[in-house]
Amino acid sequence: MSTNGKRDGFSSTLAALMVALGSAVGLGNIWKFPYMTGTGGGGAFLVIYLFFVFCVAIPIMISEFVIGRRSRLNAVGAFRKLTGNPRTPWSGIGFLGALSSYLIMFFYSCVAGWVYSYTFKAATGAFANITKESAGALFAETIGVGGAEASFFSSTVLAPIFWQVLVLVVVGTIISFGVARGIERAIKVMMPALFALLVICVIRALTLPGAGDGLRFLFHVDFKQVTPAVILAAMGLAFFKLSLGMGTMITYGSYFTDDADLSVSPLKIAIADICISMLAGLAIFPTVFSFGVEPGAGPGLLFITIPLVFSQMPFGQLLLFAFFLLTAFAANGAMLSLVEVPTSWMSEEFNIPRKRAALINCVIIGAVGILAAGSADGSGYFGGISVFGKGFFDLFDYLSSNVAMPIGGFCIAIFAGYLMKRGELFDELSNHGTLHNEGRAAFIRILMRYVTPVLVVVILLNALGIIKL
Ligand code: TRP
């Protein structure tokens, strides 16, 4: 199994790819991508998102893999080893990564809680005879709408918190028992199953009356409604989707085998990830238009439309249960990679046993994450509190995807493009000269040096209103 005797590596390049995909695929594909495409206006958002995947995300993923495999260490140790300086400021990227991972987990565990709750509801037949109205009401109940008027100990407020805590108990338990093997095995089974179920969903959605309007929404490109905030959101989604800018992929890169081609693996991961997001989009938007749901409905989009599309199928209730169960698995896989960041950082940096570090992190995430559970809707228990003009749920989401991860990704691209010597980068990209891919490596280096970091800075400044595109 091991690639260099010392570390617990993955058995093959395919296994390493699957595990990276296990981190990438999650609620980002099934929940976030469709709803952001909906609020971002459809086709134009999709085009901008794809642009960022190819020009920003892929070069950063290559950078992370190169840094990880070259050093065979985690995000903090990697920079120390590659710079030869134990106190290098670059290791701050690892610290920033731990921070981003908390920010993401605060709201991600909350949304995963909704998925758990829907899995349970589907098992108990709550979605039989569902209509657009009752689907909306069920979602409102799930996220604690109206909690501001209720007492903290009412079920309105406590139900979403209960599910969120359950998520953290499950994730914490898995993570305290170590990483590679278990994840590798589970993901190989679950991902194809989720894929198959999504395909069934898409077929049904596309044959609903009025499905064509959904396709038109998804593929009609109209840049008129695109604002700087929408552009930043699309870039943030590219980071979030592919788990970039915080060292996760550095750690996974460190497990890649010596013969893996790091110049193409990220492309494969990104394309597979886009396929899954597109399947979710193709299942959701025709349903949105067929049932007259608002495409810009926001975070509830998945939870309202998916029960509706399954209501139109034979064995719909059973398949709906399977759908949410597999989505819960995908979310768990992604969360393992998220909690792993602060857990390995904490246990290696402060010499805390792994189990204890996992426990401490889950408690921190739960304690702060409750704020997200109570603020997913403005009328929630904590919905009235705003920081920088945003509720906690939106704030955690915004700060991670639109601030911390782009900054982390910028630094990572700069490190691979400028700090690493040309020869060193080429050596790693060509597997010590065995691949003969000089041309491709040169192209990638140009992206790392002149395209990716420039784009990130320009988009951030544009969103801040400092420059105008
Ligand atoms: N990519 C995952 C998703 O789309 C979320 C995620 C998992 C993530 N690990 C990450 C995001 C690390 C950023 C960094 O659901």
Side-chain angles (χ1 to χ4, degrees):
M1 275 303 266
S2 174
T3 48
N4 63 355
K6 282 201 302 291
R7 293 195 100 210
D8 175 23
F10 293 117
S11 49
S12 65
T13 303
L14 183 67
L17 275 180
M18 288 299 277
V19 173
L21 205 55
S23 162
V25 174
L27 296 174
N29 307 67
I30 317 256
W31 164 71
K32 205 166 198 236
F33 168 82
Y35 103 68
M36 288 186 70
T37 305
T39 50
F45 182 88
L46 181 60
V47 169
I48 299 170
Y49 168 68
L50 292 177
F51 171 79
F52 285 126
V53 168
F54 288 99
C55 297
V56 173
I58 290 179
I60 291 176
M61 202 193 298
I62 298 176
S63 308
E64 295 205 22
F65 282 166
V66 163
I67 293 168
R69 195 178 63 175
R70 188 115 190 130
S71 63
R72 296 254 180 240
L73 287 171
N74 68 40
V76 176
F79 290 104
R80 292 191 178 137
K81 179 161 173 192
L82 294 181
T83 55
N85 171 6
R87 299 195 171 176
T88 175
W90 290 98
S91 58
I93 293 173
F95 177 76
L96 186 69
L99 182 74
S100 313
S101 128
Y102 282 132
L103 287 170
I104 295 174
M105 276 304 292
F106 294 153
F107 72 93
Y108 204 97
S109 56
C110 161
V111 180
W114 304 345
V115 173
Y116 275 35
S117 149
Y118 265 55
T119 311
F120 176 76
K121 286 193 174 86
T124 54
F127 300 103
N129 311 318
I130 195 101
T131 60
K132 180 182 137 194
E133 285 71 28
S134 58
L138 256 174
F139 179 68
E141 185 191 310
T142 306
I143 70 170
V145 165
E149 254 101 76
S151 101
F152 184 79
F153 295 101
S154 63
S155 65
T156 311
V157 179
L158 286 184
I161 294 177
F162 165 79
W163 291 107
Q164 182 177 25
V165 169
L166 184 64
V167 166
L168 289 170
V169 169
V170 171
V171 171
T173 308
I174 302 175
I175 207 141
S176 51
F177 290 106
V179 229
R181 307 286 153 70
I183 310 182
E184 191 178 317
R185 244 176 282 135
I187 287 164
K188 274 188 192 149
V189 183
M190 296 301 167
M191 293 257 256
L194 180 62
F195 186 85
L197 209 51
L198 274 170
V199 170
I200 295 175
C201 252
V202 171
I203 294 171
R204 177 67 266 217
L206 289 178
T207 49
L208 289 172
D213 289 338
L215 292 181
R216 229 159 283 134
F217 179 80
L218 196 52
F219 295 116
H220 177 73
V221 179
D222 172 9
F223 287 112
K224 275 198 284 306
Q225 292 181 14
V226 174
T227 61
V230 168
I231 301 177
L232 177 62
M235 185 173 81
L237 181 62
F239 277 99
F240 179 87
K241 256 319 316 103
L242 293 168
S243 310
L244 296 173
M246 45 180 281
T248 301
M249 292 298 180
I250 294 182
T251 309
Y252 282 0
S254 73
Y255 297 117
F256 264 92
T257 50
D258 289 322
D259 59 353
D261 187 345
L262 299 187
S263 67
V264 295
S265 300
L267 189 66
K268 290 185 191 161
I269 293 169
I271 289 175
D273 183 73
I274 289 169
C275 287
I276 298 178
S277 297
M278 285 308 292
L279 285 178
L282 287 171
I284 287 175
F285 286 106
T287 312
V288 161
F289 283 87
S290 182
F291 284 89
V293 178
E294 174 54 48
L301 199 63
L302 164 78
F303 297 94
I304 293 169
T305 51
I306 287 293
L308 289 173
V309 67
F310 279 105
S311 74
Q312 305 297 310
M313 283 183 214
F315 306 108
Q317 296 309 305
L318 188 66
L319 293 176
L320 181 66
F321 167 71
F323 180 91
F324 279 112
L325 187 66
L326 292 171
T327 303
F329 271 101
N332 283 353
M335 283 187 288
L336 290 174
S337 77
L338 276 163
V339 181
E340 177 62 20
V341 177
T343 300
S344 61
W345 171 73
M346 200 179 258
S347 74
E348 284 164 30
E349 200 74 355
F350 303 109
N351 252 323
I352 300 176
R354 200 184 153 78
K355 281 198 171 59
R356 191 167 320 147
L359 178 70
I360 295 172
N361 283 313
C362 287
V363 169
I364 295 174
I365 293 164
V368 185
I370 286 174
L371 295 174
S375 60
D377 184 85
S379 72
Y381 190 76
F382 298 115
I385 308 173
S386 90
V387 184
F388 301 128
K390 290 186 191 307
F392 289 114
F393 187 96
D394 293 339
L395 182 74
F396 297 145
D397 182 8
Y398 191 92
L399 287 181
S400 51
S401 285
N402 296 359
V403 183
M405 294 159 80
I407 293 175
F410 171 84
C411 296
I412 287 167
I414 295 287
F415 187 88
Y418 291 91
L419 268 280
M420 283 181 76
K421 295 201 182 60
R422 186 173 192 274
E424 221 182 331
L425 181 69
F426 280 29
D427 184 58
E428 199 57 43
L429 285 175
S430 68
N431 297 344
H432 314 297
T434 49
L435 289 176
H436 307 294
N437 54 2
E438 279 253 329
R440 198 188 299 148
F443 176 67
I444 290 169
R445 188 157 183 265
I446 290 174
L447 291 177
M448 282 172 183
R449 286 166 71 93
Y450 308 112
V451 180
T452 304
V454 175
L455 273 172
V456 173
V457 171
V458 167
I459 302 308
L460 285 175
L461 294 180
N462 183 45
L464 289 172
I466 296 173
I467 59 170
K468 229 171 156 27
L469 283 186

